[in-house]
Amino acid sequence: MGNSLFKFLCGKFSDQLHHSSAAAPPAATDAVSALAHDLHHFGVTSQVPERLSHHVVSSKKAQANWYRKLLDAWKESKPPPKTPEAASRLVVQTLKRHQRADVEGLLAYYGLPLPHTLPDAAPVVRPSSKPEGVKYELHTLPVDARAVADGDTITVYVDTADPRESANVPRGVHEAAIERAGARAAKDYNKADALHKIVMDAGYRVIAGANDEEILARKYRIRLRGIDAPESSMPFGKEAKEALVKLVQGKCLKVLVYGDDRYRRCVGDIYFNSVYIQEQMLKKGLAWHYVAYDQRPELAKWEKEARAKRVGLWASSHPEKPWEWRKERRNAT
């Protein structure tokens, strides 16, 4: 990759370009040329700017992934960005699935405009076609099998780059995540672990993404609305948990949250694409319709179908209701 490609990347080549990948962030006037220079440098050496880690959360490996994407996007843009605003839009669009802290840190490093300062900036609005009673909607990162507690409770994580989350990350969490990345880069793992504990105590976690990039995510415990699965120590409790693991493991879920229960779990309907998870659990005969809290007729219908087929727990002539099982144990203590 020679100077001709560098000219193409810049859109306007300058013989006075002095920015180097190890230097401090550039002034706003040469921000576009500085970014183009570093993309050219990355194309030749696969090296990202040394000081960038002071401005972003994720690892060097993740940063290399960004620069690879940006280099491809810059080459494909016609014409290539010539103003700071155009360069900022390209960065935001190319890295839209990455953490907000990383995207804004990258823009700040080059002195490019932040997303909310762009002239045509507008809030991201999701379609409002939610069922009645839904308070908010979550879009999760892939679910880990270990996050499934039993047949009706799971823990999920939501990327803080999500529009609903990004404005609500506590400053202390954001700062601890950035410091942790620096500590890990310096191989000070004791400090990194202590900083991650601060993040986790606040209800967040740093998770490895698909390309080994680090994602700051918020933790949510979800109680599946409208069903009650056998407890782990009950007959079919193990089978119910295993069935739920198979349904959600490794998948990005949509959760429609209706409220919280007394254990501070979010009570919600869970979907993977068009698959409604509660429906599957009821049809497999591995959950009861929790009619005391949810009177939806479709839930009763799916339970009735499973009963008729004698699948799952309905293979037993008198399966014990989990809410009665819990009540007996509370009374016993």
Side-chain angles (χ1 to χ4, degrees):
M1 187 183 301
N3 277 341
S4 59
L5 179 55
F6 179 43
K7 294 176 185 178
F8 173 73
L9 292 173
C10 284
K12 52 177 182 178
F13 183 75
S14 170
D15 290 332
Q16 277 77 44
L17 185 61
H18 298 300
H19 173 65
S20 73
S21 58
T29 53
D30 61 6
V32 179
S33 296
L35 176 57
H37 178 279
D38 283 350
L39 291 175
H40 166 72
H41 184 266
F42 176 81
V44 175
T45 67
S46 297
Q47 298 296 313
V48 300
E50 185 65 33
R51 291 172 59 87
L52 181 60
S53 293
H54 296 293
H55 297 262
V56 299
V57 176
S58 295
S59 65
K60 286 284 189 183
K61 186 173 182 179
Q63 294 167 30
N65 182 44
W66 311 339
Y67 275 70
R68 193 173 299 110
K69 291 180 179 179
L70 288 170
L71 181 58
D72 290 341
W74 203 294
K75 288 190 290 185
E76 292 172 5
S77 61
K78 300 184 186 305
K82 295 183 179 180
T83 66
E85 290 76 17
S88 183
R89 290 189 189 95
L90 182 139
V91 171
V92 171
Q93 179 63 28
T94 304
L95 304 182
K96 62 184 178 181
R97 299 297 298 173
H98 296 266
Q99 290 189 66
R100 177 185 177 184
D102 283 327
V103 175
E104 293 190 352
L106 179 64
L107 294 172
Y109 174 75
Y110 287 104
L112 293 168
L114 297 180
H116 67 276
T117 66
L118 295 173
D120 58 352
V124 177
V125 180
R126 293 192 186 276
S128 59
S129 56
K130 297 188 183 73
E132 183 179 354
V134 173
K135 292 189 174 181
Y136 54 90
E137 182 174 317
L138 302 175
H139 293 263
T140 78
L141 293 166
V143 175
D144 191 299
R146 294 169 295 180
V148 178
D150 51 38
D152 55 36
T153 304
I154 65 173
T155 297
V156 300
Y157 290 89
V158 178
D159 191 339
T160 55
D162 184 282
R164 183 180 177 275
E165 301 291 341
S166 59
N168 299 313
V169 181
R171 181 175 179 179
V173 169
H174 178 69
E175 291 175 347
I178 292 175
E179 287 185 44
R180 175 184 177 274
R184 284 179 62 83
K187 297 185 178 181
D188 187 348
Y189 298 117
N190 288 334
K191 180 179 180 181
D193 289 345
L195 290 164
H196 198 205
K197 185 177 186 303
I198 293 173
V199 171
M200 292 191 294
D201 288 347
Y204 292 80
R205 186 176 176 182
V206 178
I207 296 174
N211 297 307
D212 290 333
E213 59 199 290
E214 293 188 330
I215 299 172
L216 179 62
R218 184 175 176 183
K219 176 182 177 181
Y220 290 89
R221 290 182 68 221
I222 310 296
R223 176 63 166 83
L224 277 65
R225 175 176 176 248
I227 68 170
D228 199 2
E231 299 293 332
S232 298
S233 56
M234 293 178 64
F236 290 95
K238 179 181 178 182
E239 290 84 349
K241 177 179 177 178
E242 290 175 349
L244 185 55
V245 168
K246 289 180 180 178
L247 287 167
V248 303
Q249 183 179 8
K251 296 180 173 67
C252 296
L253 306 175
K254 178 175 75 173
V255 185
L256 302 181
V257 179
Y258 288 79
D260 298 337
D261 68 7
R262 60 179 175 173
Y263 302 107
R264 300 179 69 181
R265 298 174 298 188
C266 299
V267 178
D269 288 336
I270 301 181
Y271 296 86
F272 171 63
N273 294 333
S274 61
V275 177
Y276 179 33
I277 302 301
Q278 280 98 310
E279 176 183 355
Q280 298 302 309
M281 292 297 291
L282 287 167
K283 287 184 172 180
K284 291 175 184 292
L286 293 171
W288 296 71
H289 173 204
Y290 209 175
V291 67
Y293 293 94
D294 195 315
Q295 290 79 46
R296 284 178 288 175
E298 61 268 32
L299 302 185
K301 172 178 173 289
W302 296 325
E303 181 190 293
K304 185 177 179 180
E305 291 173 355
R307 282 176 179 259
K309 295 177 181 178
R310 299 187 67 82
V311 295
L313 63 90
W314 304 116
S316 172
S317 55
H318 298 290
E320 188 173 8
K321 300 177 178 67
W323 53 90
E324 291 183 354
W325 184 90
R326 292 191 294 267
K327 183 178 180 181
E328 287 180 4
R329 274 143 190 80
R330 283 197 300 270
N331 291 340
T333 58

